[in-house]
Amino acid sequence: AQRVTQPEKLLSVFKGAPVELKCNYSYSGSPELFWYVQYSRQRLQLLLRHISRESIKGFTADLNKGETSFHLKKPFAQEEDSAMYYCALRAWGTGRRALTFGSGTRLQVQP
Amino acid sequence: GAVVSQHPSWVICKSGTSVKIECRSLDFQATTMFWYRQFPKQSLMLMATSNEGSKATYEQGVEKDKFLINHASLTLSTLTVTSAHPEDSSFYICSARGGLDQPQHFGDGTRLSIL
C-alpha cells in the first residue's frame, strides 16, 4: 500500500526566506504526486502536480524517485503563503486511483 | 476551473437521526467521486470511492451500512450517515474527478456534529 509522509506539522519562516516543505512517499509502482493547499476557511486547492512540471505562485516541486521525495520549494516566502499544505500520491494501475494524503504541514510566514 | 459544491456546510443533529450530504460537480462531469473524513488536526482519510451508476467501493474499516453512498448521475453523489452517533461527528469532504488522468477537485466540506 502507498504511504505519504510529511515530517513537519508546522514550519514557521520569515517573509522573504526560502521555504521547503518536505514530502516522502512509499509506493512500489510509478506514482503521481500532487501538492494541495488549504488557505484559512477555504477548500483544498490543487497547487501543482509533478507531471505538469510547472511553477504555481512561485512554488516548485521535483519528483526524486531515488529519494522517493517530492519536496515543495519557494525561494522567497510571502505572508499570503501561510496555509496548510498537503502532499498527495495517486497510484497508477489501480482502478480507484484515489489520492492518499500526507498529514499536512502548516506554513506560517511571519512579517 | 472545476468547481465542486458540497451541501450542507454544517449540520447539527440528535443522535439516532440520519444525515444526507450532497456533492455536486458544477461545471464538469464527474465519473468518479470520493468521500473523505478528516478528524481535527489530522489528514484526510479516504472512506469510499464511487463511480457513476456503480456501487461504491469502501475502504477497510468503513461500515457500508452506516455510510450509504449514492452516485446516481455524473454530477451528483450523496453520502448518508445513518443512525448517526456522537462518534460519527467529523468533517466530511467530497472530491470529484472528471477522468482517470484528471486531478481531484474538492468541496468545502461538511462539519457534522451529533449531539
Side-chain angles (χ1 to χ4, degrees):
Chain A
Q2 56 268 27
R3 188 173 196 152
V4 178
T5 303
Q6 292 179 252
E8 304 141 326
K9 285 188 187 287
L10 172 66
L11 182 64
S12 185
V13 302
F14 286 103
K15 177 182 171 181
V19 170
E20 182 178 53
L21 298 169
K22 292 187 174 9
C23 172
N24 288 90
Y25 67 90
S26 64
Y27 176 57
S28 56
S30 184
E32 189 176 2
L33 276 297
F34 301 79
W35 276 99
Y36 279 81
V37 60
Q38 188 171 32
Y39 299 103
S40 180
R41 299 180 187 279
Q42 293 187 28
R43 68 183 65 192
L44 271 170
Q45 301 173 35
L46 177 65
L47 183 60
L48 50 82
R49 55 195 297 196
H50 90 269
I51 61 172
S52 301
R53 299 190 64 81
E54 55 195 347
S55 173
I56 304 292
K57 299 184 180 182
F59 285 97
T60 58
D62 290 315
L63 179 61
N64 186 324
K65 291 187 178 180
E67 295 182 358
T68 60
S69 68
F70 189 56
H71 303 325
L72 183 68
K73 299 177 184 178
K74 184 169 182 176
F76 308 104
Q78 303 298 315
E79 288 181 69
E80 54 266 30
D81 295 329
S82 295
M84 194 74 181
Y85 291 80
Y86 291 95
C87 181
L89 178 152
R90 185 160 72 184
W92 288 94
T94 60
R96 292 170 290 133
R97 298 183 62 192
L99 289 171
T100 298
F101 285 89
S103 53
T105 299
R106 181 167 299 283
L107 175 63
Q108 276 183 355
V109 181
Q110 301 183 49
Chain B
V3 178
V4 175
S5 173
Q6 189 172 341
H7 178 81
S9 56
W10 200 353
V11 59
I12 302 174
C13 60
K14 292 182 179 179
S15 185
T17 58
S18 293
V19 178
K20 181 185 281 189
I21 303 170
E22 289 189 352
C23 179
R24 295 179 184 273
S25 57
L26 296 187
D27 50 1
F28 68 103
Q29 292 188 324
T31 53
T32 308
M33 287 188 168
F34 308 88
W35 287 95
Y36 289 84
R37 184 172 179 176
Q38 186 177 32
F39 291 103
K41 300 189 179 182
Q42 293 188 30
S43 188
L44 286 78
M45 300 301 295
L46 180 68
M47 297 174 66
T49 303
S50 71
N51 291 299
E52 184 262 338
S54 303
K55 285 185 179 179
T57 302
Y58 290 80
E59 295 301 298
Q60 194 171 11
V62 178
E63 298 175 58
K64 300 178 185 181
D65 296 331
K66 161 69 79 175
F67 300 101
L68 299 179
I69 292 171
N70 183 280
H71 190 168
S73 78
L74 283 172
T75 59
L76 174 64
S77 176
T78 60
L79 167 68
T80 302
V81 184
T82 62
S83 187
H85 292 285
E87 58 266 27
D88 299 322
S89 298
S90 191
F91 193 57
Y92 294 88
I93 306 172
C94 78
S95 178
R97 184 183 72 202
L100 275 178
D101 294 327
Q102 298 301 307
Q104 284 179 225
H105 301 282
F106 289 81
D108 283 327
T110 297
R111 185 159 304 283
L112 175 62
S113 296
I114 309 297
L115 304 177

